[in-house]
């Protein structure tokens, strides 16, 4: 018998940053340069998205970014000022070629040229000037002209905002997206971020997604994120949370349903730099066919970060012998006054529960659906606005089962 | 036996004891009662030497010597025992071996030979019966997964085995049902001798029906505001604490 | 049950009196090879040991391969690169050529082992534990050898095995850890000098514990031992290794390889109590670099390999005792306590490679960091496509004592089929002030309280050790802790 990986060197964090990221498919793909004809398709698509959401009364405001430019005619937004900051791109790119980890960062800066800065501002009509409450949908559209967008969001003190990111693509094309999002939360602010599955193609066989988010929290802040992972052939989402002020909380959630020959990479880094902050991660993956999904979550606790509480969990359900689940829940702790837990499981739908449901006359498929609904439920608990996404996952599950 | 002399002490910078004095003679049973948050439990922490308690002024004498500079273990070896209100859970450490460890520490302090596990097992059989527990109780990890009642019984088992000169019972009655309360009290009563003293800290009078005090103190806002005999406890039971807290005109 | 230790109480007291009681050096004349690794040195070693031709070929192949390798850099460890040319690869005590009986052994060496708590002489030797004592590059004595041979169990120094049982050695050598496996395993394959060999024939339960005791004595010598244990069908052995070294200011390399092979229904229990010199507590100077490759192959159906390690010594520990689970229904286990204090660094864990159907593995790791030390758990659980119905449970807990140390957990979970189950959980555990106070209130000193609580934390691992050594390990842990916080 051939011993697989018998001689494979033990894994380690230095090489593993990229170890599981398989670029071989990327080389083969052909990419869209420009496609005028599809542009109007996209515009109508955006309008219908906006109409849909208005009808459902889900979001107050829209910001539409087409190929890296804010489209004022389509956007409808109040109390958010938009600035642009130019990058000195040449310098960045050359510098970072040496340090390969930053290549995505610098290529983003090179191609996006400008950073779109969104400043949340107090509502002048509101009686309570201190409190900003906003629900904003960011629609990022690519027609192939520009594949890098760099967005920075400034959240003032005590503001409350909910952001939803949605990417829209032309149909039936290969593409690479390399976006960056940075968020600066000032003291006492609350932020919700939802990364939605992209819209555009039914068959995402040649789509490549890179997204890097970095969120900085001041004192007494709250952050909740939900990553509804997509089914493009290649996705790599790096999410970094820095605690810069005490008594803040960050809860990160993720849900992934991987049906096709896809590769999903989630890299999370949480830096506990100051006292008494709490973080949690709950990322649930379901793998079918030839899908592979990597979860790498690192919680770092610095020497001064006493009173840190941290919890990390990555349950995986594997439905196919061709699928591959990687999990690397990691801890780096330099303080003795902390409570950190992490866990990962890989398994199948619980046989006993399935049997129980079947014995009550529920069909196997229905029983599985019920149990899977239970599986994904708690990821959505804190995101009442995502009911629609939740049901779309259930629909997809129904199809794939 | 114990002399607390005008102690002012704080926990985490909050002043809790504001000039507390209390004297307990050998063979006496004292009860300290008082409303929640009056500082009763701090009193037990003070005597046993809990690191959270910072003493600003005053002194504590045990058998005529100040024990302020003694670490908690030295105080324990000298004869101070505290039955914890919330006994601490320690995973992986066997209840029985902990008990033997404490027992041997005390024997060593007295210049006696340590007792091996076989002899120790024999020695504690009777005490186990006192608290109504069987031997399997000793094989479990220290306080881990114990019910509230079991934890309190375990505290009293330790008290019975270690035979301290001064025992402080910190709200031992909380979380006990009537039967357990009776068992625990009977175990304590067996321990009362002419030499040994007890300081019973409690919120309710019901424990004092079983363990009858010689002296009752009412504690409020970090001070003893009234001292009497066991009838004082009954009076409190009937009228509550409020009448005592009113300034006397 | 009385817990009677191998070590008397008095000896424990002696242990407590010195910070590292094994730090002495024995003054005996020894013959040491010139520094450096070359074909010449390897031919010399092979000739000195009177080895068969295949062994020399094995060594030279490894040496050739070594030139293509570089020292790995991926670990969570900080140390200057090891200069392989600055190490002597062979050192033997100057004694008569053949050691026929203990009378021929230098009394100084016997005294050394006695001081280490491993008496070898007929009158004093440990009951029911057979010991192979290895001093630098040479095995000096093996007790109970004849008694074991009567039931067919071979327990002897590696060099003797090459002489007497070359066919068995040839069949299994390098089949679990090939010379290409990693840099230090490759160095070992080229230059190993001694080690233990154990062969348990079919349907045999080894009647006693086997134990090898390693001692580095000479400065600037590396120790490169190689252990091979083969268990035929339906056999069982429990094996323990212990290690110490004198206190030197220079770092010494210990690059051992251990290979275990378990055939159908065979079970190997391998325990390590590692207490190499950890370097100077204050300056961090000196100490052993413990870069070890240990792996077991569960080749047979329902075979079982169980690793238990208590790692308390060494300046740097870098090892991942693992199991390759090939046989259907085979079982791999890893139980580890790694304590680092002062300036120690440890990057240790396991690899469980599931290949056969319904294979099962359990990992329990307890890491304790104190002082300025860094303690890393790194472990791989891989379930291949063929490993249908495989199962793993992993629990790795860390405890930090003090605010200058670090605890790191890097698990790697890789599942490639739809019928395996895996559960990994990890947590940090803290000794709370309330726990310490509770002990103190019962008259137990803070130091004793800490030791007891830490031992409680490690209990699940200690109970996997053979009883003879469980007590010793508990005491060792206590001593190492007291040094660091006392």
């Amino acid at each position: 018998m051939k011993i697989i990986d018998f001689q494979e060197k033990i894994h380690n964090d230095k090489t593993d940053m990229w170890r599981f990221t398989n670029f071989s498919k990327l080389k083969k793909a052909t990419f869209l340069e420009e496609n005028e004809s599809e542009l109007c398709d996209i515009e109508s698509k955006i309008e219908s998205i906006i109409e849909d959401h208005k009808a459902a009364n889900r979001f107050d405001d829209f910001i539409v970014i087409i190929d890296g430019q804010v489209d004022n005619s389509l956007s409808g937004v109040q109390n958010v000022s938009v600035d642009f900051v130019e990058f000195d791109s040449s310098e960045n790119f050359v510098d970072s070629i040496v340090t390969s980890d930053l290549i995505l960062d610098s290529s983003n800066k090179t191609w996006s040229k400008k950073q779109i800065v969104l400043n949340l501002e107090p509502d002048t009509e509101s009686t309570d000037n201190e409190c900003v409450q906003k629900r904003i949908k960011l629609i990022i559209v690519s027609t192939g002209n520009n594949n890098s967008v760099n967005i920075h969001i400034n959240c003032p003190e005590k503001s409350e905002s909910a952001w939803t990111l949605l990417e829209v693509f032309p149909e039936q094309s290969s593409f690479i997206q390399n976006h960056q999002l940075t968020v600066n939360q000032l003291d006492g602010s609350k932020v919700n971020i939802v990364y939605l599955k992209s819209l555009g193609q039914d068959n995402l066989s040649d789509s490549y997604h890179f997204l890097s988010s970095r969120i900085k929290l001041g004192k007494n802040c709250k952050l909740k994120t939900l990553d509804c992972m997509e089914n493009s052939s290649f996705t790599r989402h790096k999410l970094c949370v820095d605690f810069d002020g005490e008594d803040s909380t960050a809860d990160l959630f993720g849900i992934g349903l991987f049906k096709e020959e896809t590769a999903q990479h989630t890299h999370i880094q949480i830096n506990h730099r100051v006292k008494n902050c709490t973080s949690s991660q709950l990322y649930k993956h379901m793998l079918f066919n030839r899908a592979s999904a990597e979860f790498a979550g690192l919680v770092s606790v610095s020497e001064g970060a006493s009173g840190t509480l941290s919890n990390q969990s990555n349950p995986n359900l594997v439905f196919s012998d061709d699928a591959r689940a990687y999990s690397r829940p990691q801890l780096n702790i330099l303080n003795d006054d902390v409570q950190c837990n992490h866990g990962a499981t890989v398994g199948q739908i619980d046989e006993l529960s399935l049997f129980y449901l079947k014995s009550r006359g529920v069909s196997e498929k229905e029983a599985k659906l019920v149990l899977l609904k239970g599986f994904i439920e708690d990821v959505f608990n804190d995101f009442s606005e995502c009911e629609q996404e939740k049901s779309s996952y259930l629909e997809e599950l129904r199809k794939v089962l | 036996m114990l002399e607390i002399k005008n102690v002012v002490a704080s926990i985490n910078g909050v002043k809790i004891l504001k000039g507390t004095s209390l004297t307990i003679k050998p063979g006496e049973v004292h009860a300290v009662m008082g409303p929640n948050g009056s500082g009763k439990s701090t009193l037990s922490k003070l005597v046993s030497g809990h690191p959270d308690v910072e003493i600003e002024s005053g002194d504590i004498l045990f058998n005529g010597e100040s024990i302020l500079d003694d670490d908690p273990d030295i105080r324990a070896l000298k004869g101070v025992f505290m039955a914890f209100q919330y006994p601490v859970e320690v995973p992986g450490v066997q209840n029985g071996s902990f008990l033997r460890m404490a027992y041997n520490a005390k024997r060593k302090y007295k210049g006696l030979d340590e007792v091996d596990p076989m002899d120790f097992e024999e020695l504690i059989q009777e005490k186990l019966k006192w608290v109504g527990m069987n031997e399997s109780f000793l094989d479990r990890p220290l306080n881990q997964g114990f019910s509230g009642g079991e934890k309190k019984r375990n505290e009293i088992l330790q008290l019975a085995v270690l035979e301290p000169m001064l025992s402080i019972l910190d709200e031992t009655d909380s979380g006990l049902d009537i039967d357990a309360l009776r068992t625990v009290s009977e175990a304590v009563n067996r321990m009362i001798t002419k030499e040994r003293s007890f300081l019973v800290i409690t919120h309710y009078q019901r424990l004092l029906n079983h363990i009858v005090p010689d002296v009752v103190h009412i504690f409020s806002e970090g001070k003893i505001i009234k001292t009497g005999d066991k009838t004082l406890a009954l009076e409190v039971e009937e009228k509550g604490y409020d009448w005592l807290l009113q300034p006397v005109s | 049950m009385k817990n009677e230790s191998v070590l008397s109480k008095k000896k424990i007291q002696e242990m407590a009196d010195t910070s590292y009681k094994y730090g002495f050096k024995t003054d005996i004349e020894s013959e040491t090879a010139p520094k450096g690794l070359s074909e010449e040195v390897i031919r010399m070693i092979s000739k000195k040991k009177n080895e068969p031709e295949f062994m020399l070929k094995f060594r030279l192949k490894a040496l050739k391969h070594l030139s293509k390798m570089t020292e790995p850099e991926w670990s969570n460890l900080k140390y200057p690169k090891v200069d392989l040319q600055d190490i002597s690869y062979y050192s033997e005590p100057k004694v008569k050529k053949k050691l026929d009986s203990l009378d021929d052994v230098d009394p100084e060496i016997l005294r050394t082992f006695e001081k280490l708590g491993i008496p070898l002489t007929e009158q004093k030797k440990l009951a029911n534990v057979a010991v192979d004592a290895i001093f630098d590059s040479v095995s000096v004595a093996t007790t109970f050898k004849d008694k074991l041979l009567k039931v067919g169990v071979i327990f002897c120094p590696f060099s003797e095995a090459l002489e007497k049982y070359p066919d068995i050695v040839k069949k299994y050598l390098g089949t679990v850890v090939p010379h290409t496996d990693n840099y230090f395993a490759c160095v070992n394959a080229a230059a190993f000098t001694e080690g233990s060999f154990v062969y348990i024939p079919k349907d045999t339960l080894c009647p006693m514990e086997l134990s090898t005791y390693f001692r580095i004595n000479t400065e600037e010598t590396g120790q490169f031992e190689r252990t091979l244990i083969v268990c035929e069908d339906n056999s069982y052995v429990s094996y323990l290794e212990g290690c110490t070294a004198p206190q030197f200011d220079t770092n010494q390399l210990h690059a051992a390889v251990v290979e275990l092979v378990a055939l159908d229904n065979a079970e190997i229990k391998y325990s390590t109590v590692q207490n190499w010199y950890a370097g100077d507590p204050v300056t961090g100077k000196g100490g052993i670099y413990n870069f070890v490759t240990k792996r077991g192959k569960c080749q047979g159906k329902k075979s079982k390999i169980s690793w238990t390690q208590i790692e308390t010594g060494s300046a740097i520990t870098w090892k991942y005792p693992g199991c390759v689970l090939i046989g259907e229904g085979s079982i791999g286990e890893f139980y580890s306590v790694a304590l680092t204090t002062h300036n120690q660094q440890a990057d240790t864990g396991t690899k469980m490679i599931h290949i056969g159907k319904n294979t099962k593995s359990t990992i329990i790791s307890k890491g304790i960091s104190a002082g300025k030390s860094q303690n890393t758990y790194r472990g791989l659980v891989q379930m291949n496509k063929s490993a249908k119905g495989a199962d793993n449970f992993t629990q790795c807990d860390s405890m930090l004592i003090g605010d200058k140390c670090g605890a790191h957990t890097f698990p790697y979970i890789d599942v490639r089929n739809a019928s395996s189950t895996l559960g990994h959980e990890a947590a940090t555990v803290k000794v709370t002030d309330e726990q310490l106070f509770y002990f103190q209130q019962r008259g137990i000193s803070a130091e004793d309280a800490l030791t007891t609580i830490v031992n409680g934390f490690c209990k699940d691992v200690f109970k996997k050790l053979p009883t003879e050594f469980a007590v010793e390990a508990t005491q060792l842990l206590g001593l190492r802790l007291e040094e660091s916080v006392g």
Side-chain angles (χ1 to χ4, degrees), chain B residues 96 99-100 103 115-124 161:
Chain B
L99 193 57
R100 186 165 63 90
Y103 185 72
V115 173
D116 70 37
M118 303 283 247
D119 295 344
F120 184 69
E121 205 167 288
E122 247 166 69
L123 188 138
I124 59 167
V161 171

Side-chain angles (χ1 to χ4, degrees), chain A residues 321-322 324 331-333 344 346, chain C residues 385 407-408 414 416 418 424:
Chain A
D321 281 344
D322 296 320
R324 189 166 182 181
L331 295 173
N332 234 337
I333 301 169
V346 183
Chain C
K385 213 165 170 174
H408 317 273
D414 183 356
R416 307 178 191 181
H424 172 100

